[in-house]
Amino acid sequence: MELTTFWFIIIAVLWVGYLVLEGFDFGVGMLMAVLARDDTERRVLINTIGPVWDGNEVWLLVAGGATFAAFPEWYATLFSGFYLPLLLILVALIVRIIGIEFRSKRDEVSWRRRCDTAIVFGSVVPALLWGVALANIVRGVPIDADGEYVGGFFNLLNPYGLLGGLVTLSVFLVHGAFFVGLKTVGPIRERAIRLGLRAGVVAGALAVAFVVWTGLAQDSLAVWILGGLTVLAFVIGMLNALDRRDGRAFAGTAVAIALLVATLFSGLFPDVMPSSLDAAWSLTTTNAASTPYTLTIMSWVAVFFTPIVIGYQSWSYWVFRRRIGVHHIPV
């Protein structure tokens, strides 16, 4: 396997890790607006992700750093062309962090409501825009012969891109609901599962439409197979939620998100950013890559550090594996 292909796969795996883990963080954040009935239940929701949400964001940082080092041309075109949506995502993530970290600093109802609004905003915006961005990367964007993005922000708001955004938004909501079902006890758990099942019907329909559109556009057997497995995993998760098998329901949506990312990256390869103006101007794993020496050094670093990162994050999930309820929240 060529090093360029190896690092394309590594970056895809990093995006899988980020969207699976941060996906339920976004889902829980969105549920703050509709699931919790009082301040104590909102604190329960925050505590389900409290020990892990910041660690989940490490995957995004590593994915960005790996793209910069392994495919600098891809990184340059992506971050300059998608500057506005990425800036909106960054602002939303910062606002969410402020809401989570400072909510407990003051007891005023108005203060906590503003923090709750910040958490919801900081969850909805990235959940939507990540889908828009990924869908547009696969669809192709206007890139000229110099490898520069020559479109605007509204070029990204096309039907396929918006459908991709709605898919990630709705699937993350379901993923978050099933995570709450897995991590809580009492009435809030039951409401979370019921809400996840209702939202899952919409998310499933959107996902089927997106997979079919992607398959028709890419004309790739791998896309059809992975897309079909995506829908199957999501359906399995929903069926397990009906039987109140919380762990299997959450695993189903997690696998569905992972397979959806795999579907998009399989449709993208060997390009990393297709040009909608001329296929010859597309950025590929070959013309956008760093030197073989750089990729070799990066490979050794990844071999050494990746098990460490996975190990400490797995340990943190194990430590905070128990369910919580309103009776665990001090008055």
Side-chain angles (χ1 to χ4, degrees), residues 156 210 288:
L156 305 177
F210 185 70

Side-chain angles (χ1 to χ4, degrees), residues 29 62-63 71 103 124 139 147 176 197 208 223 236 243 256 271 274 282 295 298 326:
V62 177
F71 300 101
R103 186 183 189 277
V124 170
R139 173 180 178 268
L197 288 169
V208 169
V223 169
I236 291 173
D243 292 335
D271 293 335
S282 298
L295 295 177
M298 289 176 60
V326 294

Side-chain angles (χ1 to χ4, degrees), residues 258-305:
L259 287 170
L260 179 61
V261 177
T263 301
L264 295 176
F265 272 83
S266 66
L268 184 61
F269 186 80
D271 293 335
V272 291
M273 282 196 78
S275 172
S276 60
L277 302 179
D278 190 326
W281 297 344
S282 298
L283 299 181
T284 68
T285 54
T286 301
N287 64 24
S290 292
T291 64
Y293 181 70
T294 300
L295 295 177
T296 300
I297 294 176
M298 289 176 60
S299 299
W300 283 109
V301 171
V303 168
F304 180 78
F305 283 104

Side-chain angles (χ1 to χ4, degrees), residues 15-300:
W15 276 105
V16 167
Y18 172 67
L19 294 176
V20 168
L21 298 176
E22 192 78 332
F24 69 74
D25 286 346
F26 293 147
V28 173
M30 289 185 277
L31 290 171
M32 292 278 291
V34 295
L35 185 62
R37 293 182 176 176
D38 54 36
D39 185 67
T40 302
E41 289 192 346
R42 281 187 280 274
R43 291 169 65 187
V44 169
L45 291 179
I46 293 174
N47 281 319
T48 61
I49 62 173
V52 297
W53 68 266
D54 48 354
N56 294 342
E57 292 188 344
V58 169
W59 291 82
L60 175 62
L61 299 176
V62 177
T67 304
F68 172 77
F71 300 101
E73 294 291 337
W74 183 12
Y75 180 92
T77 302
L78 176 64
F79 277 73
S80 60
F82 288 42
Y83 179 83
L84 184 54
L86 292 177
L87 177 62
L88 290 173
I89 290 173
L90 178 61
V91 170
L93 291 176
I94 293 172
V95 168
R96 186 177 68 126
I97 291 170
I98 293 172
I100 293 174
E101 293 292 339
F102 288 91
R103 186 183 189 277
S104 61
K105 303 302 181 184
R106 294 170 61 180
D107 294 329
E108 291 90 340
V109 174
S110 59
W111 170 261
R112 294 195 171 186
R113 283 178 178 170
R114 286 195 291 270
C115 288
D116 293 342
T117 300
I119 294 170
V120 173
F121 171 81
S123 301
V124 170
V125 172
L128 176 68
L129 291 183
W130 280 130
V132 172
L134 289 172
N136 273 283
I137 291 173
V138 175
R139 173 180 178 268
V141 292
I143 298 174
D144 64 15
D146 296 321
E148 296 182 0
Y149 179 79
V150 292
F153 174 70
F154 292 102
N155 288 92
L156 305 177
L157 302 182
N158 53 77
Y160 181 73
L162 292 174
L163 178 59
L166 291 175
V167 168
T168 52
L169 179 73
S170 58
V171 171
F172 289 167
L173 180 66
V174 177
H175 192 42
F178 291 167
F179 179 75
V180 173
L182 176 65
K183 288 289 293 179
T184 60
V185 294
I188 193 170
R189 168 183 172 267
E190 185 61 29
R191 293 202 306 273
I193 295 172
R194 289 201 304 266
L195 191 151
L197 288 169
R198 291 196 298 269
V201 175
V202 177
L206 291 171
V208 169
F210 185 70
V211 165
V212 170
W213 194 337
T214 304
L216 292 173
Q218 299 300 320
D219 192 24
S220 165
L221 180 61
V223 169
W224 282 109
I225 292 174
L226 290 170
L229 291 174
T230 299
V231 176
L232 178 62
F234 190 82
V235 171
I236 291 173
M238 292 280 288
L239 293 175
N240 279 284
L242 279 171
D243 292 335
R244 300 305 188 261
R245 296 175 179 175
D246 301 330
R248 294 181 182 182
F250 177 72
T253 53
V255 171
I257 293 170
L259 287 170
L260 179 61
V261 177
T263 301
L264 295 176
F265 272 83
S266 66
L268 184 61
F269 186 80
D271 293 335
V272 291
M273 282 196 78
S275 172
S276 60
L277 302 179
D278 190 326
W281 297 344
S282 298
L283 299 181
T284 68
T285 54
T286 301
N287 64 24
S290 292
T291 64
Y293 181 70
T294 300
L295 295 177
T296 300
I297 294 176
M298 289 176 60
S299 299
W300 283 109

